[in-house]
Amino acid sequence: MEMKHNIKKLGYFLLCIFVLLILYLSYLVLQQGEELATHPQNRRMAAREAGIIRGTIFDRKGVVLAETKWLGERGKRVYLTENHVSPFAHVVGYVSEKYGSAGLEASFSKELLGLTDADALENLLDKIFNRTPRGHDLVLTLDASLQRTAWQALNGRRGAVVALDPKTGAVLAMVSSPAFDSNAIDQAGVWSRLNRDEENAPLLNRSTQGAYPPGSAFKIVTGSGILARQTARPADTIQCPGYVVVDGNRIADNRAHGKVDFIKALALSCNTYFAREGLKLGWDGLVHTFNQFGLNQSPALGIPVRPGTLAVKERRNRSQLAESSFGQGDTLISPLHMALACSAIANNGVIMKPFLVKEVCKPDGKAVRVTESSIWLTATSPEVAALVKEGMIAAVNWGTASPAAIRGVDVAGKTGTAETKTDRQPNSLPHAWFVGFAPANDPKVVVAVVVEKSGSGSRVAAPIAREVMAAALFRR
C-alpha cells in the first residue's frame, strides 16, 4: 500500500515537471523566440546567413557603408574605412562568424537577410526556383561626408560627436572615438586586443553609451526648469561673488561675474546663478525637468542607448542639488541625450524621435519601409525655449561659446567644462563639452560634442562643433 502511494507521488511529481517543461518551452517559443532567433550569437542564424546575400547599407546620399562581396563560394562583409579604421564602426557595427554581430548589423539582421515575416513568399519562391536569396538594403540618415568631418575634427582624441536634424529627428552624424576596423574583427588577436584596451575602450559607443558629467552644457535643462516653474524671472538678478556656500560647503565658480540675470548667467556660464536657482527649483523640480527632456529614457534607436542618471535618493542633499544644477555632482548623460535636449530648445520645446534608418529597400530600390518623423516628447514650452535660445545666442555672440561662431550665420550654443578630478586622479583635466544649433532662428543642425579630459569646452569642443555645423550647412 505504501509502495502504491509512493509511486502515485512520483507520478504526480513527474507530471508537474512535465507541465512546467511545457510551460517553459511555450514561454521560450512565444515570448523569447523572436529575440533568440535574431540574437547576434545564434549560430543557426549564422549558418543560414551563409547562403544569403546580405543587404547593402548606404548613407543618406547612396554612399556604400557596408556590402557583401563574394570570394569564390563565400560572401565577405566589407565595410567603408579610413586609414584602416571605420568612422561608422559603432553605428553600422559588424558581422563576425566568431563574435556574432553588433550595431545596426545586429538589430536589422532579419531585414538585411530578408527573413522577416513579409519575406516568407519570396523566400519560398527562391527555394522553388533555386535562386540565391538576397536581403534588403538599409538607407541610413547618416551623411558620410559629415561623419568624416566629425571624425577628423576629433583627431584621434577620446570623445564623441552627435549631429541631428531637430525638425525631423534624423541623425546626421554619430561618431565615437577611438573606433576600430570592422573588417578586421576576425583577424588573429584583434578581438582580444580591442577588449583588453580598457583605457581607450574602442568597442564602446561613446555617443550613446558614454556616461559623462555634462558640466555647464546642462544649464540649458536646468534653465528650462527654472523658467517653467518660475522660481526666477528672466530679468531677476543676483550678485555673483565667484562662489556659493551651500550647507557650509563653498562651491567655486569659474570667476566672479558680478550682477547677472538669466541671459547673462547662461552666456557667461555662471555656476553661482544656477546653483542658487537650482536650490529653489528643488530636487522634485530638477527630476521633473530631467524626465521631461527624456534624459532618463532610452529612445528606440536600433543601437543600445544608456539612459541618463541623477544622484540616487540617498545622496540627494542640498550640496548635491546645487552641483547637479550646473551639470556636476553625480549627473551622468550621453552625448546623444544632450543633443536631444538641445534639439528641444532648437525646435520650440519639442523633441522629435531620433532615428538612424531612413528606409528599408528591396535590391531594386523599392522601399518596403520608410521611417516617418514623429514627436517623441514635449520638453518645455515655446516661450521657455525661446528664452534659453536667447541665452545660447548671447553665449556665442559675446560669451563663453564664441569659438563656435560661424561667419554669416547666427549660432546658438552652450559650452561645458565638466570636472573629473578624483582622489585617485587629482590632476585630471575636465571633459570639454559643447551643445548648439544653427542657424539659430531656423535650425538645420544640432550638434553635441564631448572630448574626454581635454580642457575647457570653449577651447576644445566649440571649434569641433563649429566645423561640423559649418559642414552640415554649406555642403548640402
Side-chain angles (χ1 to χ4, degrees), residues 254-268:
N254 49 52
R255 66 181 177 88
H257 297 99
K259 190 177 180 180
V260 295
D261 60 8
F262 178 81
I263 300 301
K264 187 176 180 181
L266 196 59
L268 299 181

Side-chain angles (χ1 to χ4, degrees), residues 38-39 44 49 76 137 181 203 254 266 290 294 325 440-441:
T38 58
H39 195 279
R44 289 188 178 184
E49 180 182 345
K76 177 177 174 57
D137 298 333
D181 184 354
L203 292 172
N254 49 52
L266 196 59
F290 192 89
S325 296
N441 293 313

